[in-house]
Every structure is written in C-alpha cells, then in structure tokens.
C-alpha cells in the first residue's frame, strides 16, 4: 500500500466518522426522519408533523449534516431515497416503535387533554351514517383531537395504512387488505325508495313494477350499471331497467325525490329522507353488507389509536 493511498484512506475514514456523528440527533429529529422517509415528500411530511415547510426543511438540513447523506434526492416522479436512507428506514421505524411502546404502555388516556390527529378513509355512505355522528361526539369528548376524512381508495389503502396516511379505514370486511387488522362494526340492509306522490308506487312494490320502472344505481368506481340488486334479479331470471348511474349514495334520494325513478339504497340513508320519499321493502331478497374498521398492525397497541377505535365501536 503506497503512502499516498494510506493518507487518502485515513482522510476518508475521518470524514466518514465525522459525517456519522449522531450526538446532535435528538428524538424529535429521528421522528422527523422517520416521517420524511415514509412520505418522501416535504410538504406531506410537514403536514403530518404539524410543522411549516421552512421548519421541516431546516430539520432535513440538520439530518443531512449529521448523517453525511442527502437522504432524499430529486427523481423523475418526485423525491427518491438514497441507498443510505433505504438502509435506515426499517431499523429506524422499529426502534422508534419500541420507544413509543415503552413510553405509552399503561399511560391513561385523558380525552380532555389528548392531542392527536386521526385520518379516516370512508365512502360517502359511511361518512354520512357513521362519521358525522362520530366526529361530533368525539369533538365534545376530546376537544383537542383533529379529525380528517378522506375518500376511500381500496387500491391504495395498503400503502396509505403502512405509511400512516390513513389511521382507520371503514369498509366492507371482504375489502380489507389481507395484512390488516379489522373489527366488524355494523350490518346494513337495502330498501327501495320512490318519491312521495309517485304515479305508480303506493306504499308497496311488486316484482313486475320494480323491474319495469327506471332505476338509479350506485357504481362506486363510476360508470357501472349493475350491483347486488342485479345479481339477485339474475338469480331468478329477471332484469331491471337502469337509467342513471352515479358514483355515490348521497345524491340518490335527491334525484329520486325529483323524478319518477326509483332506487335501492342502504336503509340508514333512506331513513333520513322519509319525509320526501317512500321507503319500501324490496320485492325480492337483496343481500346486505357489513362495515368494519380496518387498521395497520403497528397501531394496534397504540393507546390513543386504540381509544379512538373503541369510541367508534361504542358509538356504532
């Protein structure tokens, strides 16, 4: 080994030791790093941490200096992790989860002083029949909690729960990603609605009339003209006439109340419109559905998250 090479190697080692000096990394910075590596986006990370973007950028600069690595670098589709950041991500998350468990284990929950942000993903139906009541009740019981609703995206749900973008999802149990925890909350049944004063519907509906009238159908993904009702009809060799497809349930009673179309919707929505529409039993059995709360394993023993899930189950 030549002298010049030995000098170069010694200098590189000194730089490496200096850049890996972690004495200035406090717990807050490590939590910031965990969030940045999960989000790969300064704006989203700042939102999760309740920090301004300049404040988070300053923390990122400190992390880069302490670790001697840029950690996040520009890519073709946003920021990407450096190799060092990839190596840090899982061990860092596991270490911080251990710290959280030690600190939080056995800590009593005081709703009046509990500070937390809970993000709940749900369909418009669930937001209407469950989340509205839950959010109002929770606000009265735990006034320092912030609640965010977001649309349910089953295709992205696994990633959202893993990254902490969603804390609780509310969906049908069979829709839950296989790796997630779930708890059944309630069941729902379908009813038929028709406007008050409908020329052909008077407090009852037989199968022939049901099939002959124009229907509004809900297609959550948009553009579909069939649902559980059509499967039930097909099983007995019948079909209905679907005139309109919409992506959400909440607009359906409004449409029905203004037209001669009818619709099959969940009873909990129909009951809120009983002054403007007739609520009728379907002329054939239509299987209902269940709603479950869904969450990631990493929050199962988290005191605040557990309390929030328990309050939701109790309310339902």
């Amino acid at each position: 080994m030549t002298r010049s090479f030995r000098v170069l190697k010694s200098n590189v080692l000194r730089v490496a030791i200096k850049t890996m000096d972690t004495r200035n990394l406090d717990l807050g910075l490590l939590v910031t790093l965990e969030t940045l590596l999960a989000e790969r986006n300064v704006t989203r990370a700042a939102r999760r941490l309740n920090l301004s973007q300049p404040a988070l950028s300053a923390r990122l600069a400190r992390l880069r200096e302490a670790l001697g690595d840029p950690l996040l670098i520009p890519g073709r589709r946003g920021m990407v992790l450096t190799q060092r950041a990839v190596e840090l991500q899982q061990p860092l998350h596991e270490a911080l989860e251990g710290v959280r468990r030690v600190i939080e284990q056995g800590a009593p929950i005081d709703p009046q002083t509990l500070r937390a942000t809970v993000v709940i993903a749900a369909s418009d139906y669930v937001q209407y029949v469950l989340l509205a009541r839950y959010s109002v009740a929770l606000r009265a019981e735990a006034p320092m909690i912030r609640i965010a609703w977001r649309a349910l995206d089953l295709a992205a749900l696994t990633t959202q729960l893993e990254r902490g973008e969603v804390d609780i999802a509310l969906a049908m149990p069979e829709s839950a990603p296989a790796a997630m925890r779930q708890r059944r909350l309630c069941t729902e049944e379908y009813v038929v609605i028709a406007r008050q004063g409908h020329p052909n519907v008077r407090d009852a509906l037989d199968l022939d009339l049901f099939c002959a009238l124009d229907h509004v159908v809900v297609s959550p993904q948009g553009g579909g003209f069939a649902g559980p009702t059509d499967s039930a009809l097909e099983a007995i060799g019948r079909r209905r006439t679907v005139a309109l497809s919409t992506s959400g349930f909440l607009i359906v009673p409004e449409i029905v109340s203004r037209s001669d179309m009818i619709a099959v919707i969940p009873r909990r929505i129909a009951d809120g419109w009983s002054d403007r529409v007739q609520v009728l039993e379907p002329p054939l059995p239509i299987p209902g559905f269940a709603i479950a709360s869904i969450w990631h394993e990493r929050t199962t023993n988290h005191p605040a998250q557990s309390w929030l899930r328990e309050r939701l189950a109790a309310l339902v």
Side-chain angles (χ1 to χ4, degrees):
M1 182 181 296
T2 65
R3 181 177 181 278
S4 60
F5 181 78
R6 285 196 298 270
V7 171
L8 176 62
K9 180 180 179 183
S10 175
N11 289 337
V12 169
L13 286 173
R14 280 198 298 271
V15 170
I17 292 171
K18 180 180 178 181
T19 57
M20 287 300 294
D21 185 0
T22 59
R23 287 174 295 180
N24 294 323
L25 291 178
D26 58 30
L27 185 60
L29 272 179
L30 292 177
V31 172
T32 298
L33 177 58
E34 177 193 33
T35 306
L36 280 166
L37 299 186
E39 291 291 349
R40 307 183 187 198
N41 182 284
V42 173
T43 301
R44 290 199 300 267
R47 191 179 303 123
R48 277 183 59 182
L49 293 166
N50 293 322
L51 293 172
S52 67
Q53 277 193 246
L56 185 57
S57 296
R59 289 192 179 191
L60 177 57
R62 289 177 59 192
L63 287 164
R64 285 168 166 166
E65 181 179 359
L67 296 174
D69 189 273
L71 300 172
L72 291 162
I73 57 177
R76 292 180 61 186
R77 297 182 179 179
M79 305 295 284
V80 296
L81 303 186
T82 64
Q83 182 59 36
R84 178 61 175 145
V86 171
E87 294 169 354
L88 283 170
Q89 188 171 22
Q90 187 61 29
L92 176 65
H93 175 72
E94 292 175 355
L96 289 176
E97 283 296 290
V99 172
R100 292 181 185 111
R101 284 193 294 270
V102 170
I103 293 174
E104 294 168 348
Q105 187 173 17
I109 293 293
D110 180 0
Q112 289 295 313
T113 60
L114 179 61
R115 291 181 179 271
T117 298
V118 57
V119 181
I120 306 175
S123 67
D124 68 332
Y125 155 76
V126 174
Q127 290 177 9
Y128 177 79
V129 302
L130 296 182
L131 285 189
R133 291 170 52 218
Y134 176 64
S135 299
V136 171
L138 198 62
R139 187 66 185 167
E141 190 172 357
M144 303 177 83
I145 286 181
R146 300 193 307 172
I147 308 163
W149 298 357
R150 62 183 299 171
L152 180 67
D153 183 351
L154 291 174
L157 186 57
T158 297
T159 299
Q160 291 172 342
L161 289 167
E162 287 176 348
R163 291 185 177 182
E165 297 170 3
V166 169
D167 298 304
I168 304 170
L170 299 176
M172 291 185 289
E174 57 269 26
S175 300
M180 302 301 159
R181 292 288 193 97
Q182 64 171 269
R183 177 178 182 177
R184 184 169 295 214
L185 298 176
C186 63
T187 58
E188 179 65 285
E189 62 180 3
Y190 287 108
V191 295
V192 182
I193 59 171
R195 73 174 174 88
Q196 297 283 3
H198 193 290
N200 299 312
V201 180
R202 300 278 200 285
D203 301 325
L205 199 60
D206 63 31
L207 186 58
D208 289 336
L209 182 58
F210 177 80
C211 293
L213 292 173
D214 288 341
H215 285 244
V216 183
V217 71
V218 174
S219 172
Q221 304 306 318
F225 288 89
T229 300
D230 301 280
S231 299
L233 285 168
E234 185 179 355
I236 59 173
R238 299 296 297 266
R239 296 180 64 182
R240 63 174 173 168
T241 303
V242 177
L244 174 64
S245 171
T246 180
S247 62
F249 279 111
L250 297 189
I251 192 62
V252 175
E254 182 69 32
I255 296 169
V256 169
S257 71
R258 295 169 177 263
S259 70
D260 288 338
M261 290 186 284
I262 66 172
V264 177
I265 65 172
R267 182 181 292 277
R268 283 181 172 87
I269 292 181
D271 287 345
W273 284 77
S274 58
D275 61 330
R276 294 180 61 183
V277 300
Q278 302 176 63
V279 180
L280 312 165
E281 295 300 321
L284 77 165
I286 302 173
F289 59 93
I291 294 296
S293 57
I294 302 163
W295 67 93
H296 194 279
E297 172 67 31
R298 65 184 175 78
T299 66
T300 293
N301 296 318
H302 189 282
Q305 292 284 340
S306 297
W307 183 82
L308 288 164
R309 292 194 301 268
E310 287 298 325
R311 298 308 301 144
L312 176 60
L315 176 67
V316 174

